[in-house]
Amino acid sequence: MNKEDFQDYKLEIEELTELLNSEWLDLKNLIISNNINLEKTLLVGYYEDEEGIEYGLLYNKKENFIIKFEVSDNNISLTEINNVNEISDEFPQLLVAIEL
């Protein structure tokens, strides 16, 4: 990954995390309701498909977790990721988040 890509991903992570904490309150509350502390957690990636299903990736360096989520009809499904390599193709931003 070159320096420009790194900076672009870093900015994206910062913007997504800010949106999660200040504007996307429904998503934030769903995540918190599953006992995930967002204080030191980054929203590494996020997208929504044409059917309105939301997908994303959370990373917390302090508590050492990576969680992939899917939200449909205001229900959230969480999957813990144990190996960076299994998700880094879908979310290359994770490699940047780990270095922050």
Side-chain angles (χ1 to χ4, degrees):
M1 176 180 316
N2 66 40
K3 190 174 182 176
E4 185 176 320
D5 288 343
F6 183 93
Q7 289 301 322
D8 289 345
Y9 284 141
K10 180 181 176 193
L11 181 60
E12 179 183 1
I13 293 166
E14 290 169 350
E15 289 173 352
L16 287 172
T17 301
E18 178 61 29
L19 285 168
L20 176 63
N21 288 316
S22 64
E23 294 183 30
W24 296 347
L25 302 181
D26 289 345
L27 178 58
K28 178 181 179 178
N29 290 333
L30 279 175
I31 294 168
I32 291 171
S33 72
N34 281 273
N35 299 316
I36 296 174
N37 181 355
L38 290 179
E39 186 176 322
K40 300 285 184 180
T41 301
L42 299 172
L43 179 55
V44 174
Y46 174 88
Y47 62 95
E48 186 174 342
D49 70 13
E50 60 278 347
E51 296 169 7
I53 299 173
E54 301 169 81
Y55 304 89
L57 192 73
L58 301 167
Y59 173 69
N60 184 306
K61 191 171 200 164
K62 182 179 179 188
E63 295 177 27
N64 194 32
F65 69 72
I66 303 167
I67 297 177
K68 185 176 180 181
F69 67 83
E70 179 179 319
V71 178
S72 177
D73 296 324
N74 210 32
N75 293 308
I76 192 166
S77 170
L78 304 171
T79 305
E80 187 169 354
I81 306 298
N82 296 312
N83 185 337
V84 171
N85 294 330
E86 70 184 84
I87 197 77
S88 61
D89 286 343
E90 184 179 356
F91 291 99
Q93 307 92 314
L94 178 59
L95 301 175
V96 173
I98 290 169
E99 290 190 37
L100 295 179

